[in-house]
Structure formats: C-alpha cells, structure tokens
Amino acid sequence: MAQLWGGRFTKETDQLVYNFNASISFDQKFYEQDIRGSKAHVKMLAKQGILTEEERDEILKGLDGILEDVRSGRLLITSEYEDIHSFVEANLIDRIGDAGKKLHTGRSRNDQVALDMKLYVRDEIDEIDEEVKNLLLALQKIMEEHVHTYMPGFTHLQKAQPVTLAHHIGAYFEMFRRDRSRLFDIRKRMNTCPLGAGALAGTTYPLDRTYTAELLGFDEPTRNSMDSVSDRDYVIELLSALSTIMMHLSRFSEEIILWNSNEYRFVEIDDAYSTGSSIMPQKKNPDIAELVRGKTGRVYGALMSIMTTMKGIPLAYNKDMQEDKELTFDAIDTVKGCLALFTGMVSTMQFRKDNMEASAKNGFTNATDAADYLVNHGVPFRDAHGIVGRLVLTCLDKGISLDDLSLEEYKEISPVFEKDIYEAISMRTCVEKRMTLGAPGPEVMEQVIAANKEYLAKE
Ligand code: ARG
C-alpha cells in the first residue's frame, strides 16, 4: 500500500478498504494523460517562479523517463499504488529525489483527475470521430455505386415505394454525419482546463491557469473551481452521443440481418465477417451485426449509470465520481470496436441488385405511381386510389405484379389507362421522377453525393 496521505493516520488502512477505494486497476488507462498534465503543470510552476528551472528540468526528465518505461513495458503499473497519480508521483520521487516531491505544489488530485479525464475523453473523441468518418467514407462509396440500384422502400416493414440503395444508405450517412457533429459540439463545450482549481477552492500560489490551458490545447481555463472538480456533464454528453451512435449502428445492423436472411437475400455478408454453426452445416450467420446490435445495451447502461451516480452529489468532489471511469472506458472501447468492425462488414458486403429490384416490383411499390398516372389524366386522387386498389386486388388474385397486367385488364377497371402506363410505372420512371431534393431520383442523388464528398474532404 503506497499512499500519498498517511500523515494524519495512526493505523494502516484495512486491506479490503484499500482495495475498495483504489482505482489503479482502471485509471492506469490514462497514464499518458496524467503525465502530460503534470508536465504542463510543472512548466507553469517554473514560469511563475514557484519552482526553479533546474527543478523543472529534473521533473520533466523524470516524467519522460516514466512515460517511456511504462510504454515499453519496463515499468509495470501495479496495485501497490492507490491510483495512477500516486504511481507517477512515487516513481518520480524514486527517480529524482527531493525535486519530485514538489510536483504536487498548487495541485490536488481532484483537479488532477478532472484534467486527466478530460484529456482522455478529448483524445478519444478524436479517435471515435475518425472511426465514424471511416464509416461515412465506406457508405459514400456504396452510394456512388448504387444510384441506379432499385429496391423497395418500406414503412411498417411493408413494401411502400421504390427507392435506390444509394438513397437507403444515404439515410444512414445523414445519421452518422449528425453523430460527428454531436461529437464536435461536445469537444468544443468541454474544452476548458480544470487544472488550478485545487481541491475545490483554487490555491494560494500565483498560478497562471491560462498558460497551463494553452499548453494542454484548451481554449481557456474553467471559471469556477468548485464546478471544475465536480463537473462530469461532458462525460454524460459523450455517453449520450455514443448511445446515439450505437442506436444508429443497431438499426443498421438489424436491417443487414434482415437483408442477409434467406427470405430477403438482398445482401451477402462476406465470409470473413460471418460465422458458422457447430451443428448446422448450411449456416452462415451475421454474428457481427448481431453483436453490434447487442452491445448497444451496454453503452446505454453506461449512460444511465453515470446519470444516476451524479444525481445526488453535493458540491464539490466526492468519491462517487470515481465511478465515472470504468463504464466510460468500456463504452468508448465498445463503440470504437463496433465502428471498426461494422465498417469492415459493410465495405465487404455484396449487394444482390437483382433480388432487390425483383422485390420492389413484386411488392406493388409502384402503386402510388399508377394512381399518379390517373391523376395526371384528370382523375381525382381519391378515385385514383380506389381504382388502383382494385387493380392490386386483381393482381393478388392472379399472383402477378402491376407490370404484368394486360392493357385490357387495366381498361376493364378504368378506361383512362393507355399503353404508356407500363412506362409510367416502371421502376426506372418511379425512381427518376422523384427529383425533389432528398428524394431518390438519380439527378438529385448525384448532387447529394457530390456535396457529401466535399464534406468528407473538408471535415
Ligand atoms: N481516483 C480518484 C477519482 O477517480 C482520484 C481523485 C481522488 N481525490 C480524492 N480526494 N480522494 O476520482
């Protein structure tokens, strides 16, 4: 047990208490951020004349040595230390002696851990953003290739109107683009530096907090020291944004699972992204999509957990807040893993265009267009709706699609139909005529794809 605060105690901590209280098993994950923060703090202390330049240089060298040794595996982070902060400080003192004892001047573990967590979350936001961007690049590629791939669009999971694969995938492009913008907003709002807040009430040393903030890439220092050490809003915001990313991935996974089923056969997941069954030799299962869908619950759980932890905490720091770490780390790792695998799965997936188009044709997705044909020939829409309804009934009776009815059969139900009805209800016409912005018509779709391309090149 190596503790920083033994002075006022006359008894050793009970071993179970020590274990219960310690956070080293998980906060070691941000050793790099802890050292980065300490280096900035020491530079600021020297600039303010609180440490000498020699002391600063000795400490910086010691900290760099620890960083290198931990990275290379020469120095192991062990449970002998209470937390990552104690580990770094104790090792520093071991290495450089007295100067190391000055590292913690004008600082508390409360503002230190607030800083470390922010640095860690900020680094991870950048990595997650990169993963979401990779997914968008994969979606963009599919969209470019499938502007003319017709498929049924669904409402209530019933075939509704024809769309294209580019259009369907484009919907997910929009979702993940919003996810990126949410990450961007969070990063901007959280980018204030808590270091210098001390335990809760600032310090009596003449710290230059703006300088530390600048060194660490923050926009400015935080404005209230009590809030600085007890704010975890940004963790909640991040977990909420991650939950939304997972919700989007999960919806998409659900569709891929359906599309990959024997009944749909719209896609074929690559062998490298599928698994077999131990008993049924014919099986090729979409396990990756199922796991992504399943792991969504675990990220939602993290959000509910931190919301509940924070709701009853009086100002300022309380140990409850140590609970922010494990679940946030787990959620971040889960989302990064899901994004990378999902991107691999969709970019290797084969789309079965023929099945998609046949499914659109055989599901009366052009029924609205048949009604529009009548409207264009002067029939009021409500009457047209009834006429086409009767046509659909006839088709269902015969087990055929609207495209297969003879002109006589059309005319029996309404004399307004002429032989151009076939062209009017062809998949191509149905899709191409939908040319308002946001619709699947190839012309507007190409415009959206070009704008997406520009966005991906910039951001
Ligand atoms: N491990 C602690 C945490 O994660 C660090 C802060 C400790 N501060 C304290 N006053 N005990 O929150």
Side-chain angles (χ1 to χ4, degrees):
M1 293 190 221
Q3 288 153 328
L4 299 170
W5 39 262
R8 65 99 69 211
F9 288 76
T10 52
K11 248 179 156 181
E12 280 279 300
T13 320
D14 178 273
Q15 187 63 46
L16 284 178
V17 171
Y18 181 83
N19 296 346
F20 190 66
N21 195 46
S23 52
I24 189 101
S25 63
F26 47 88
D27 64 16
Q28 57 178 280
K29 206 166 168 86
F30 51 47
Y31 74 91
E32 296 216 19
Q33 286 81 3
D34 191 73
I35 292 175
R36 203 191 307 162
S38 289
K39 285 174 69 177
H41 181 62
V42 161
K43 286 180 193 164
M44 182 276 295
L45 289 178
K47 179 177 124 12
Q48 297 302 93
I50 302 164
L51 292 185
T52 65
E53 292 190 351
E54 294 70 49
E55 287 167 334
R56 173 195 65 197
D57 293 343
E58 261 186 274
I59 296 177
L60 289 177
K61 201 162 150 248
L63 288 171
D64 279 335
I66 295 172
L67 182 63
E68 239 177 74
D69 290 351
V70 174
R71 267 191 192 147
S72 67
R74 271 195 300 275
L75 177 60
L76 292 179
I77 303 175
T78 60
S79 59
E80 172 193 349
Y81 303 93
E82 182 186 344
D83 54 31
I84 191 62
H85 325 298
S86 322
F87 166 84
V88 173
E89 191 175 322
N91 270 278
L92 185 70
I93 296 168
D94 272 357
R95 285 173 188 227
I96 66 167
D98 278 351
K101 295 184 182 165
K102 297 191 173 179
L103 169 65
H104 211 52
T105 313
R107 187 175 74 172
S108 153
R109 274 187 298 167
N110 296 351
D111 58 345
Q112 188 178 358
V113 78
L115 171 71
D116 290 3
M117 192 65 181
K118 270 196 168 177
L119 287 175
Y120 185 83
V121 163
R122 202 179 62 180
D123 288 347
E124 292 295 325
I125 285 180
D126 293 344
E127 285 193 23
I128 297 164
D129 182 63
E130 199 55 40
E131 293 289 354
V132 181
K133 186 172 182 182
N134 287 338
L135 174 55
L136 285 177
L137 286 164
L139 299 186
Q140 170 80 357
K141 188 155 177 281
I142 299 171
M143 289 171 73
E144 280 167 3
E145 286 165 10
H146 292 284
V147 174
H148 298 283
T149 303
Y150 307 128
M151 66 180 285
F154 297 83
T155 61
H156 315 272
L157 207 53
Q158 306 275 324
K159 292 177 193 176
Q161 289 174 345
V163 294
T164 64
L165 181 57
H167 190 242
H168 196 119
I169 298 290
Y172 285 103
F173 190 101
E174 295 301 318
M175 294 178 225
F176 292 115
R177 180 176 174 160
R178 286 196 295 275
D179 285 328
R180 286 190 78 203
S181 113
R182 259 184 284 276
L183 290 173
F184 178 87
D185 291 346
I186 296 165
R187 194 192 194 288
K188 174 120 203 66
R189 193 163 31 255
M190 68 167 280
N191 204 26
T192 55
C193 184
L195 202 60
L200 77 162
T203 89
T204 53
Y205 297 96
L207 308 185
D208 182 347
R209 295 193 57 214
T210 304
Y211 181 67
T212 327
E214 259 169 37
L215 286 179
L216 291 166
F218 287 102
D219 296 330
E220 54 186 354
T222 50
R223 282 186 296 269
N224 180 293
S225 58
M226 291 177 83
D227 177 53
S228 307
V229 292
S230 59
D231 164 33
R232 296 294 182 275
D233 289 4
Y234 67 96
V235 176
I236 293 173
E237 285 192 52
L238 175 70
L239 291 174
S240 163
L242 295 186
S243 295
T244 308
I245 292 178
M246 288 306 293
M247 181 265 290
H248 291 152
L249 284 175
S250 182
R251 290 181 74 177
F252 206 164
S253 294
E254 172 70 12
E255 297 216 86
I256 290 172
I257 293 163
L258 283 173
W259 291 357
N260 186 65
S261 68
N262 295 335
E263 282 67 26
Y264 277 74
R265 297 211 162 281
F266 284 5
V267 298
E268 171 94 34
I269 298 176
D270 195 75
D271 276 6
Y273 286 88
S274 315
T275 51
S277 154
S278 61
I279 173 169
M280 297 166 283
Q282 84 281 14
K283 283 298 216 63
K284 200 177 133 187
N285 297 328
D287 288 33
I288 299 306
E290 289 169 15
L291 270 173
V292 169
R293 189 177 58 181
K295 284 177 191 289
T296 305
R298 152 175 188 169
V299 178
Y300 289 4
L303 172 63
M304 284 323 294
S305 173
I306 183 76
M307 294 269 279
T308 311
T309 295
M310 292 305 293
K311 85 177 184 52
I313 303 186
L315 288 176
Y317 178 84
N318 294 260
K319 200 58 173 269
D320 318 40
M321 290 189 309
Q322 179 167 289
E323 286 296 309
D324 63 353
K325 292 175 196 62
E326 281 164 290
L327 49 96
T328 304
F329 296 161
D330 181 72
I332 288 172
D333 292 345
T334 301
V335 172
K336 282 200 303 191
C338 288
L339 281 166
L341 277 156
F342 193 88
T343 302
M345 178 179 68
V346 288
S347 45
T348 52
M349 208 158 71
Q350 297 295 319
F351 294 97
R352 302 180 145 195
K353 292 163 114 177
D354 297 356
N355 289 347
M356 287 183 174
E357 187 165 343
S359 165
K361 262 195 189 141
N362 294 324
F364 303 105
T365 60
N366 48 4
T368 316
D369 297 83
D372 288 345
Y373 172 93
L374 293 172
V375 171
N376 288 332
H377 289 76
V379 182
F381 181 77
R382 195 45 59 212
D383 294 340
H385 188 283
I387 293 169
V388 178
R390 267 174 283 146
L391 284 169
V392 168
L393 260 186
T394 311
C395 290
L396 284 173
D397 228 28
K398 303 186 173 203
I400 58 176
S401 74
L402 283 174
D403 310 61
D404 305 322
L405 280 178
S406 69
L407 189 55
E408 289 69 51
E409 287 167 315
Y410 270 109
K411 280 189 174 296
E412 254 169 53
I413 297 186
S414 168
V416 178
F417 287 113
E418 293 300 339
K419 66 174 186 311
D420 60 348
I421 177 63
Y422 297 104
E423 179 55 26
I425 61 164
S426 76
M427 282 298 119
R428 199 169 56 86
T429 315
C430 292
V431 169
E432 278 179 11
K433 278 201 326 214
R434 291 185 153 75
M435 34 193 197
T436 46
L437 180 65
E443 244 171 73
V444 276
M445 201 69 239
E446 297 281 11
Q447 280 170 27
V448 169
I449 289 174
N452 287 352
K453 197 169 181 176
E454 231 173 87
Y455 154 76
L456 286 171
K458 277 205 309 267
E459 289 173 47

